[in-house]
Amino acid sequence: MSQQAVERVFSKVLLGQFVELARQEVGPEKLALVLTDVHLSPGMLEADSLASLDGSGAADVYARLQQALRLFYGRGARGSLIRIGHALWERIASGTSFLERAELRVLRSLPVPARPRRVLELVASRLREGGGMVSIHSLDLDLMLADHSSAATVGQSADMPICFVTQGLIQGALAWAVDREADVEEVSCRAMGQPACEFRIRLGAR
């Protein structure tokens, strides 16, 4: 499957939550400065502008905002974006529908070894909401989340993985599910010219 064959789309709901969390992380005034520093208009993050986007437009804004943060903060952006990813999971877990909250309660009632894949499937379903293509795979005792749409990499080129928000989202979901941190590593990234952004999850002793 070629990179071009996978549509680069993102959920507008997740984009809105990401923008709100980015404002909380760096502050509204500083976020406006971050955008203008890279010649982007702060108006691109206003509610009316976000509401007018389709899935591909949402993916473009999602990628541009992360790029702006990386350029402005350099290496320090990684920690901020991972924290935003953690907080994004908290929004997903607390803002779901009645049926989805019931699903989360069932998930937490499962034996601990059964929870990681179930919660990763839930993360993948959220990333697919805008029309994206995301899958979960088993690798012996480890798990892999493969994001073929990888909205964060739209228009991006890098010599190392850049999908820190997704990394934080996965870490937050797993910590919620099993009450301990998991080792999550992005082992391939579309920004590096690879066919998918792949996250290897090492859970350690079960």
Side-chain angles (χ1 to χ4, degrees):
M1 181 182 300
S2 69
Q3 289 183 322
Q4 291 74 20
V6 180
E7 189 176 4
R8 314 298 291 277
V9 292
F10 195 64
S11 161
K12 290 203 296 183
V13 172
L14 282 183
L15 174 62
Q17 292 173 336
F18 171 68
V19 169
E20 183 180 348
L21 291 167
R23 286 197 180 102
Q24 292 179 11
E25 175 72 19
V26 304
E29 296 82 9
K30 191 61 170 286
L31 187 59
L33 177 61
V34 167
L35 292 172
T36 55
D37 191 66
V38 294
H39 310 293
L40 294 173
S41 169
M44 68 186 284
L45 302 185
E46 294 300 322
D48 289 347
S49 295
L50 296 177
S52 70
L53 298 171
D54 60 10
S56 60
D60 183 64
V61 171
Y62 184 64
R64 284 173 178 265
L65 178 52
Q66 290 185 55
Q67 179 188 39
L69 289 165
R70 292 195 307 272
L71 290 172
F72 191 88
Y73 288 106
R75 293 179 180 229
R78 181 180 184 274
S80 292
L81 291 169
I82 287 176
R83 283 193 297 274
I84 291 171
H86 271 263
L88 191 56
W89 166 255
E90 293 171 8
R91 291 293 181 90
I92 289 171
S94 64
T96 53
S97 69
F98 175 80
L99 289 176
E100 289 166 330
R101 287 195 297 272
E103 180 184 358
L104 290 171
R105 287 195 295 272
V106 169
L107 192 156
R108 285 296 295 266
S109 72
L110 294 172
V112 172
R115 296 178 196 172
R117 187 176 184 111
R118 286 287 291 273
V119 81
L120 287 175
E121 292 286 1
L122 184 57
V123 169
S125 73
R126 293 297 180 273
L127 293 174
R128 288 193 291 259
E129 282 179 353
M133 182 176 176
V134 185
S135 55
I136 307 298
H137 309 277
S138 296
L139 299 171
D140 296 322
L141 295 178
D142 299 333
L143 293 168
M144 177 83 78
L145 182 146
D147 185 353
H148 295 271
S149 304
S150 48
T153 66
V154 173
Q156 306 301 304
S157 178
D159 57 7
M160 62 182 60
I162 62 171
C163 302
F164 305 124
V165 175
T166 305
Q167 182 181 354
L169 174 60
I170 294 169
Q171 289 175 339
L174 289 165
W176 174 88
V178 300
D179 296 317
R180 69 174 186 269
E181 292 294 323
D183 179 12
V184 179
E185 179 187 7
E186 187 175 5
V187 295
S188 72
C189 184
R190 286 195 65 169
M192 300 170 66
Q194 293 160 330
C197 295
E198 296 180 329
F199 300 84
R200 184 161 191 154
I201 297 102
R202 295 179 175 88
L203 297 163
R206 305 289 177 89

